[in-house]
């Protein structure tokens, strides 16, 4: 028997256990190799996932919903300092702004800030501040949050004989949202809200620098509708205060809606009233001829 024949005979008589060990070792090597590949693939894909997540978050923040940080006490107790709210940026594309809405608006080139901020000292700090503002982690320097009291065409006045704010002569009951023991306004005012503008006030009237404090500005303290970013509709942080922000019942008064409708109809009715005598006079003159 040759040496080759002996080697083949030895291989054919190799124990089954040895073959199992070899197969198991090969399987372990293959599994480890696949695991390494998957691990490497994950780290390669991670930057892409991060970028996609940021882009989606940016698009959502820009066009749909944005988180905002509450920096002051001007809306207490509805909103407390350091609360975070979500703002619906689409709602006013499908309906008009309504009395009682809590809105976030930009005061750039208009109102002074209610809270003092220090400008970031370098570009990196400025970048992270911008990111934090976008995601509601830090407050925006020129973003405000107030409650809409008067919409275009409304006459807002304070106060009536009982110390209440009136809208188109209809008193509104602010007990549901006004800060405890606050007066509706310490200083009297009366304004007819111009077209395309809003009269807004904070719920904590004693500390809120709202429309009342800007009556010497263009627009008599009102803000432009096109500066409204959206409607705050829910508190999301802290979780213990999570709740929705509905429009208070007082703004649903039938009398308030009727007064608004009549206010809009007054110019038309006045025009009709003035036109009728002229038409009758013209007819009489033609008849005489």
């Amino acid at each position: 028997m040759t040496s080759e024949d002996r080697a083949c005979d030895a291989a054919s008589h190799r124990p089954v256990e040895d073959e199992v060990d070899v197969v198991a070792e090969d399987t372990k090597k293959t599994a480890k190799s696949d695991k390494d590949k998957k691990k490497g693939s994950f780290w390669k894909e991670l930057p892409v996932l991060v970028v996609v997540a940021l882009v989606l978050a940016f698009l959502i923040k820009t066009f749909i919903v944005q988180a905002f940080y509450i920096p002051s006490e001007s809306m207490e107790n509805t909103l407390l300092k350091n609360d975070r709210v979500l703002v619906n940026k689409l709602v006013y594309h499908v309906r008009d702004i309504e009395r009682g809405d809590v809105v976030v608006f930009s005061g750039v080139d208009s109102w002074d800030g209610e809270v003092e901020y220090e400008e970031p000292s370098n570009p990196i700090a400025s970048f992270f501040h911008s990111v934090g503002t976008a995601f509601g982690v830090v407050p925006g320097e020129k973003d405000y949050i107030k409650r809409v009291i008067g919409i275009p065409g409304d006459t807002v006045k304070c106060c009536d004989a009982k110390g209440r704010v009136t809208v188109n002569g209809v008193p509104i009951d602010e007990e549901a949202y006004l800060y405890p023991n606050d007066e509706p306004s310490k200083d009297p005012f009366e304004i007819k809200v111009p077209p395309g503008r809003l009269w807004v006030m904070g719920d904590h009237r004693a500390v809120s620098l709202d429309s009342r404090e800007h009556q010497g500005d263009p627009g008599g303290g009102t803000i432009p509708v096109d500066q409204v970013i959206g409607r705050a509709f829910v508190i999301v942080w802290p979780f213990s205060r999570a709740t929705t922000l509905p429009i208070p019942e007082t703004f649903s008064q039938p009398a308030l809606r009727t007064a608004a409708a009549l206010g809009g109809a007054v110019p038309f009715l006045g025009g009709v009233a003035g036109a009728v005598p002229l038409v009758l006079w013209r007819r009489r003159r033609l008849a005489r001829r």
Side-chain angles (χ1 to χ4, degrees):
M1 182 181 290
T2 65
S3 59
E4 291 182 1
D5 292 336
R6 286 195 297 271
C8 290
D9 185 61
S12 64
H13 289 83
R14 181 180 298 168
V16 176
E17 291 80 358
D18 292 347
E19 293 181 3
V20 172
D21 290 341
V22 171
V23 172
E25 186 176 351
D26 290 341
T27 302
K28 290 179 180 178
K29 288 181 179 179
T30 303
K32 184 177 180 181
S33 176
D34 291 342
K35 187 176 180 180
D36 290 341
K37 287 181 180 178
K38 289 181 180 179
K39 188 175 181 181
S41 176
F42 170 77
W43 289 111
K44 288 179 181 178
E45 293 175 356
L46 182 60
V48 177
L49 293 173
V50 171
V51 171
V52 171
L54 288 175
V55 170
L56 289 175
F58 175 78
L59 292 175
I60 292 171
K61 184 273 295 185
T62 303
F63 300 107
I64 303 176
V65 174
Q66 184 174 352
F68 277 87
Y69 176 99
I70 306 303
S72 72
E73 298 86 1
S74 69
M75 283 295 292
E76 292 179 339
N77 281 329
T78 304
L79 301 172
L80 303 183
K81 187 176 181 180
N82 300 323
D83 280 355
R84 271 74 164 181
V85 298
L86 291 184
V87 173
N88 186 333
K89 305 178 84 169
L90 288 178
V91 63
Y92 296 135
H93 293 285
V94 297
R95 75 163 174 84
D96 293 332
I97 298 173
E98 297 180 5
R99 305 179 194 90
D101 279 348
V102 175
V103 298
V104 171
F105 61 95
S106 172
V108 173
D109 300 326
S110 178
W111 290 11
D112 294 330
E114 291 182 314
V115 178
E116 294 295 330
Y117 297 98
E118 290 186 7
E119 290 291 333
S121 57
N122 58 68
I124 295 177
S126 179
F127 169 77
F128 281 106
H129 184 272
S130 299
V131 172
T133 300
F135 291 96
V137 179
V138 296
E141 183 178 0
K142 285 291 186 177
D143 292 333
Y144 299 83
I145 185 163
K146 304 292 180 190
R147 190 180 298 278
V148 176
I149 303 298
I151 59 177
D154 283 348
T155 297
V156 185
K157 182 179 179 180
C158 191
C159 297
D160 67 2
K162 294 184 178 180
R164 299 169 297 184
V165 171
T166 63
V167 179
N168 300 325
V170 179
I172 55 176
D173 181 2
E174 302 189 278
E175 184 178 355
Y177 57 84
L178 199 64
Y179 188 80
N181 301 319
D182 259 11
E183 299 177 25
S185 181
K186 288 186 176 181
D187 299 318
F189 64 84
E190 181 175 0
I191 183 165
K192 185 174 180 61
V193 182
R197 302 185 76 88
L198 305 166
W199 180 268
V200 296
M201 300 173 75
D203 290 353
H204 193 173
R205 301 286 164 78
V207 301
S208 179
L209 302 179
D210 50 39
S211 289
R212 298 168 299 160
E213 303 298 320
H214 295 271
Q215 294 183 70
D217 297 352
T222 59
I223 64 165
V225 169
D226 58 14
Q227 290 291 333
V228 174
I229 296 169
R231 176 177 180 258
F233 67 98
V234 64
I235 301 171
V236 293
W237 183 263
F239 292 136
S240 60
R241 285 182 39 75
T243 187
T244 57
L245 299 170
I247 296 176
E249 283 294 323
T250 189
F251 293 100
S252 300
Q253 297 180 76
L256 187 58
R257 294 198 297 270
T258 302
L262 289 175
V266 165
F268 173 74
L269 294 176
V272 171
V276 169
L278 290 175
V279 171
L280 293 175
W281 175 79
R282 185 172 180 275
R283 284 184 177 180
R284 289 177 181 176
R285 186 175 180 184
L286 290 175
R288 289 175 181 175
R289 287 182 179 179

